[in-house]
Coordinates of all heavy atoms in Angstrom, one line a residue:
Chain A
K1079 N -21.9 47.9 7.5 CA -22.2 46.9 6.4 C -23.5 46.1 6.8 O -24.4 45.9 6.0 CB -21.1 45.9 6.2 CG -19.8 46.5 5.5 CD -19.9 46.3 4.1 CE -19.1 47.4 3.3 NZ -17.7 47.6 3.7
D1080 N -23.5 45.8 8.1 CA -24.8 45.1 8.6 C -26.1 46.0 8.4 O -27.0 45.5 7.9 CB -24.7 44.8 10.1 CG -23.9 43.6 10.4 OD1 -23.4 43.0 9.4 OD2 -23.6 43.3 11.6
M1081 N -25.9 47.2 8.6 CA -27.0 48.2 8.6 C -27.4 48.2 7.1 O -28.6 48.3 6.8 CB -26.5 49.6 9.0 CG -27.5 50.4 9.7 SD -28.2 49.6 11.2 CE -27.2 50.3 12.5
W1082 N -26.4 48.3 6.2 CA -26.8 48.4 4.8 C -27.5 47.1 4.3 O -28.4 47.1 3.5 CB -25.5 48.4 3.9 CG -24.8 49.8 4.2 CD1 -25.3 50.9 4.8 CD2 -23.5 50.2 3.6 NE1 -24.4 51.8 4.8 CE2 -23.3 51.5 4.1 CE3 -22.5 49.6 2.9 CZ2 -22.1 52.2 3.9 CZ3 -21.4 50.3 2.6 CH2 -21.2 51.6 3.1
D1083 N -27.1 46.0 4.9 CA -27.8 44.7 4.6 C -29.3 44.8 5.1 O -30.1 44.3 4.4 CB -27.1 43.6 5.2 CG -25.8 43.2 4.5 OD1 -25.7 43.7 3.4 OD2 -24.9 42.5 5.2
I1084 N -29.4 45.3 6.3 CA -30.7 45.4 6.8 C -31.7 46.2 5.9 O -32.8 46.0 5.6 CB -30.7 46.0 8.3 CG1 -30.1 45.1 9.3 CG2 -32.1 46.4 8.7 CD1 -29.7 45.7 10.6
V1085 N -31.1 47.4 5.4 CA -31.8 48.3 4.6 C -32.2 47.7 3.3 O -33.3 47.8 2.9 CB -31.0 49.6 4.3 CG1 -31.6 50.4 3.3 CG2 -30.9 50.4 5.6
A1086 N -31.2 46.9 2.8 CA -31.6 46.2 1.5 C -32.6 45.2 1.7 O -33.5 45.0 0.8 CB -30.2 45.4 1.0
G1087 N -32.7 44.5 2.8 CA -33.6 43.5 3.2 C -35.1 44.2 3.2 O -36.1 43.7 2.7
L1088 N -35.1 45.4 3.9 CA -36.4 46.1 4.0 C -36.8 46.5 2.7 O -38.1 46.5 2.4 CB -36.1 47.3 4.9 CG -35.9 47.0 6.4 CD1 -35.5 48.2 7.1 CD2 -37.2 46.5 7.0
K1089 N -36.0 47.0 1.8 CA -36.4 47.4 0.5 C -37.0 46.2 -0.3 O -38.0 46.4 -1.0 CB -35.2 47.9 -0.3 CG -35.5 48.4 -1.7 CD -34.3 48.8 -2.4 CE -34.5 48.7 -4.0 NZ -35.2 49.8 -4.6
A1090 N -36.4 45.1 -0.1 CA -37.0 43.8 -0.7 C -38.4 43.6 -0.3 O -39.2 43.0 -1.0 CB -36.1 42.7 -0.5
D1091 N -38.7 43.9 1.0 CA -40.0 43.8 1.5 C -41.0 44.9 1.0 O -42.1 44.9 1.4 CB -40.1 43.8 3.1 CG -39.4 42.5 3.7 OD1 -39.2 41.5 2.8 OD2 -38.9 42.6 4.8
G1092 N -40.5 45.8 0.2 CA -41.3 46.8 -0.3 C -41.4 48.1 0.6 O -42.2 49.0 0.3
V1093 N -40.5 48.3 1.6 CA -40.5 49.4 2.4 C -39.8 50.6 1.6 O -38.7 50.3 1.1 CB -39.9 49.1 3.8 CG1 -39.9 50.4 4.7 CG2 -40.6 47.9 4.5
T1094 N -40.4 51.7 1.7 CA -39.7 52.9 1.2 C -38.8 53.4 2.3 O -39.2 53.5 3.4 CB -40.7 54.0 0.8 OG1 -41.7 53.4 -0.1 CG2 -40.1 55.2 0.2
I1095 N -37.5 53.7 1.9 CA -36.6 54.1 2.9 C -35.9 55.5 2.6 O -35.5 55.7 1.5 CB -35.5 53.1 3.0 CG1 -36.1 51.8 3.6 CG2 -34.3 53.5 4.0 CD1 -35.4 50.6 3.2
I1096 N -35.9 56.3 3.5 CA -35.3 57.7 3.4 C -34.2 57.7 4.4 O -34.5 57.5 5.6 CB -36.2 58.8 3.6 CG1 -37.3 58.8 2.6 CG2 -35.4 60.1 3.6 CD1 -38.6 58.2 3.0
L1097 N -32.9 57.8 4.1 CA -31.9 57.9 5.1 C -31.1 59.2 5.0 O -31.0 59.6 3.8 CB -31.0 56.7 5.1 CG -30.1 56.3 4.0 CD1 -28.7 56.8 4.2 CD2 -30.1 54.8 3.7
T1098 N -30.7 59.7 6.0 CA -29.9 60.8 5.9 C -28.4 60.4 6.4 O -28.3 59.4 7.1 CB -30.2 61.9 6.9 OG1 -30.0 61.5 8.2 CG2 -31.6 62.3 6.8
T1099 N -27.5 61.0 5.8 CA -26.1 60.6 6.0 C -25.2 61.8 5.6 O -25.5 62.6 4.8 CB -25.7 59.3 5.3 OG1 -24.4 59.0 5.5 CG2 -25.9 59.6 3.8
H1100 N -24.0 61.8 6.2 CA -23.0 62.6 5.6 C -21.8 61.8 4.9 O -20.8 62.4 4.5 CB -22.5 63.8 6.4 CG -22.5 63.7 7.8 ND1 -22.9 64.6 8.6 CD2 -22.0 62.7 8.6 CE1 -22.8 64.2 9.9 NE2 -22.2 63.1 9.9
Y1101 N -22.1 60.5 4.8 CA -21.1 59.7 4.1 C -21.5 59.5 2.7 O -22.5 58.8 2.4 CB -21.0 58.3 4.9 CG -20.5 58.4 6.2 CD1 -21.4 58.0 7.3 CD2 -19.3 59.0 6.6 CE1 -21.0 58.1 8.6 CE2 -18.9 59.1 7.9 CZ -19.8 58.6 8.9 OH -19.4 58.8 10.2
I1102 N -20.7 60.0 1.7 CA -21.1 59.9 0.4 C -21.0 58.4 0.0 O -21.9 57.9 -0.8 CB -20.1 60.7 -0.5 CG1 -20.6 62.2 -0.3 CG2 -20.2 60.4 -1.9 CD1 -19.4 63.1 -0.5
E1103 N -20.1 57.6 0.5 CA -19.9 56.2 0.1 C -21.2 55.5 0.5 O -21.6 54.4 -0.1 CB -18.8 55.6 0.8 CG -18.9 55.5 2.3 CD -17.6 55.5 3.0 OE1 -16.5 56.0 2.5 OE2 -17.5 54.9 4.0
E1104 N -21.9 55.9 1.6 CA -23.1 55.2 2.1 C -24.2 55.4 1.0 O -24.9 54.5 0.6 CB -23.6 55.8 3.4 CG -24.7 55.1 4.0 CD -24.7 55.3 5.4 OE1 -24.0 54.6 6.1 OE2 -25.4 56.1 6.0
A1105 N -24.3 56.7 0.5 CA -25.4 56.9 -0.5 C -25.0 56.2 -1.7 O -26.0 55.5 -2.3 CB -25.3 58.5 -0.8
E1106 N -23.8 56.1 -2.1 CA -23.3 55.3 -3.2 C -23.6 53.9 -3.1 O -24.1 53.2 -4.1 CB -21.8 55.4 -3.4 CG -21.4 56.5 -4.4 CD -19.9 56.5 -4.7 OE1 -19.4 55.5 -5.1 OE2 -19.3 57.5 -4.2
A1107 N -23.5 53.4 -1.9 CA -23.6 51.9 -1.7 C -25.1 51.4 -1.7 O -25.4 50.3 -2.2 CB -23.0 51.5 -0.3
I1108 N -26.0 52.2 -1.2 CA -27.3 51.7 -1.1 C -28.5 52.4 -1.7 O -29.6 51.9 -1.8 CB -27.7 51.4 0.4 CG1 -27.5 52.7 1.3 CG2 -26.8 50.3 1.1 CD1 -27.9 52.5 2.8
A1109 N -28.2 53.7 -2.1 CA -29.3 54.5 -2.4 C -29.8 54.2 -3.9 O -28.9 53.9 -4.8 CB -29.1 56.1 -2.3
D1110 N -31.1 54.5 -4.2 CA -31.5 54.5 -5.6 C -31.4 56.0 -6.1 O -31.1 56.1 -7.3 CB -33.0 54.1 -5.7 CG -33.2 52.7 -5.2 OD1 -32.4 51.7 -5.7 OD2 -34.1 52.3 -4.4
R1111 N -31.7 56.8 -5.2 CA -31.6 58.2 -5.6 C -30.9 59.0 -4.5 O -30.9 58.6 -3.4 CB -33.0 58.9 -5.8 CG -33.8 58.5 -7.1 CD -34.7 59.5 -7.5 NE -35.7 59.6 -6.4 CZ -36.5 60.7 -6.3 NH1 -36.4 61.7 -7.2 NH2 -37.4 60.7 -5.3
V1112 N -30.2 60.1 -4.9 CA -29.5 60.8 -4.0 C -30.1 62.3 -4.0 O -30.2 62.9 -5.0 CB -28.0 60.8 -4.3 CG1 -27.2 61.8 -3.4 CG2 -27.5 59.4 -4.2
G1113 N -30.3 62.8 -2.8 CA -30.7 64.2 -2.7 C -29.6 64.9 -1.9 O -29.0 64.3 -0.9
V1114 N -29.4 66.1 -2.3 CA -28.4 66.9 -1.6 C -29.1 68.1 -0.9 O -29.8 68.9 -1.6 CB -27.2 67.4 -2.4 CG1 -26.2 68.3 -1.7 CG2 -26.5 66.2 -3.0
I1115 N -28.9 68.2 0.3 CA -29.6 69.3 1.1 C -28.5 70.2 1.8 O -27.6 69.7 2.4 CB -30.7 68.8 2.1 CG1 -31.4 69.9 2.8 CG2 -30.1 67.8 3.0 CD1 -32.6 69.3 3.6
N1116 N -28.8 71.5 1.7 CA -27.8 72.4 2.5 C -28.5 73.6 2.7 O -29.3 74.2 1.9 CB -26.5 72.5 1.7 CG -25.5 73.3 2.7 OD1 -25.4 73.0 3.8 ND2 -24.7 74.2 2.1
G1117 N -28.3 74.2 3.8 CA -29.0 75.5 4.2 C -30.4 75.6 4.1 O -31.0 76.5 3.8
G1118 N -31.1 74.4 4.3 CA -32.5 74.3 4.4 C -33.1 74.2 3.0 O -34.3 74.4 2.8
E1119 N -32.3 73.9 2.0 CA -32.8 73.9 0.6 C -32.3 72.5 0.0 O -31.1 72.1 0.2 CB -32.2 75.0 -0.3 CG -32.9 76.3 0.1 CD -32.2 77.5 -0.6 OE1 -31.2 77.7 -0.4 OE2 -33.0 78.2 -1.4
I1120 N -33.1 71.9 -0.8 CA -32.8 70.8 -1.6 C -32.0 71.3 -2.9 O -32.5 72.0 -3.7 CB -33.9 69.9 -2.1 CG1 -34.7 69.4 -0.8 CG2 -33.5 68.8 -3.0 CD1 -34.3 68.1 -0.3
L1121 N -30.8 70.9 -3.0 CA -29.9 71.4 -4.1 C -30.1 70.5 -5.4 O -29.9 71.0 -6.5 CB -28.5 71.6 -3.7 CG -28.2 72.4 -2.4 CD1 -26.8 72.4 -2.0 CD2 -28.7 73.8 -2.6
L1122 N -30.3 69.3 -5.1 CA -30.3 68.3 -6.3 C -30.9 67.0 -5.8 O -30.7 66.6 -4.7 CB -28.8 68.1 -6.7 CG -28.3 67.0 -7.5 CD1 -27.2 67.5 -8.4 CD2 -27.8 65.8 -6.6
V1123 N -31.7 66.5 -6.7 CA -32.2 65.2 -6.4 C -32.1 64.4 -7.7 O -32.5 64.8 -8.8 CB -33.7 65.1 -6.0 CG1 -34.1 63.6 -5.7 CG2 -34.0 66.0 -4.9
Q1124 N -31.3 63.3 -7.8 CA -30.9 62.6 -9.0 C -30.8 61.1 -8.8 O -30.5 60.6 -7.7 CB -29.6 63.2 -9.5 CG -29.6 63.4 -11.0 CD -28.4 64.2 -11.5 OE1 -27.5 64.6 -10.8 NE2 -28.4 64.6 -12.7
D1125 N -31.2 60.3 -9.8 CA -30.9 59.0 -9.8 C -29.4 58.7 -9.6 O -28.6 59.5 -10.1 CB -31.2 58.3 -11.1 CG -32.7 58.0 -11.2 OD1 -33.4 58.2 -10.1 OD2 -33.2 57.5 -12.3
K1126 N -29.2 57.8 -8.7 CA -27.7 57.5 -8.3 C -27.0 57.1 -9.7 O -25.9 57.5 -9.9 CB -27.6 56.4 -7.4 CG -26.2 56.2 -6.9 CD -26.0 55.1 -5.9 CE -26.3 53.7 -6.5 NZ -26.2 52.7 -5.5

Side-chain angles (χ1 to χ4, degrees):
Chain A
K1079 289 267 154 56
D1080 280 358
M1081 214 60 96
W1082 294 352
D1083 289 341
I1084 291 167
V1085 169
L1088 290 171
K1089 181 188 156 74
D1091 291 340
V1093 178
T1094 305
I1095 294 154
I1096 297 97
L1097 66 98
T1098 68
T1099 179
H1100 29 226
Y1101 301 116
I1102 287 156
E1103 67 205 30
E1104 184 156 280
E1106 265 185 62
I1108 55 175
D1110 297 315
R1111 284 198 307 158
V1112 177
V1114 177
I1115 179 169
N1116 192 36
E1119 287 171 300
I1120 298 269
L1121 305 177
L1122 162 145
V1123 184
Q1124 223 167 5
D1125 276 356
K1126 187 183 67 182

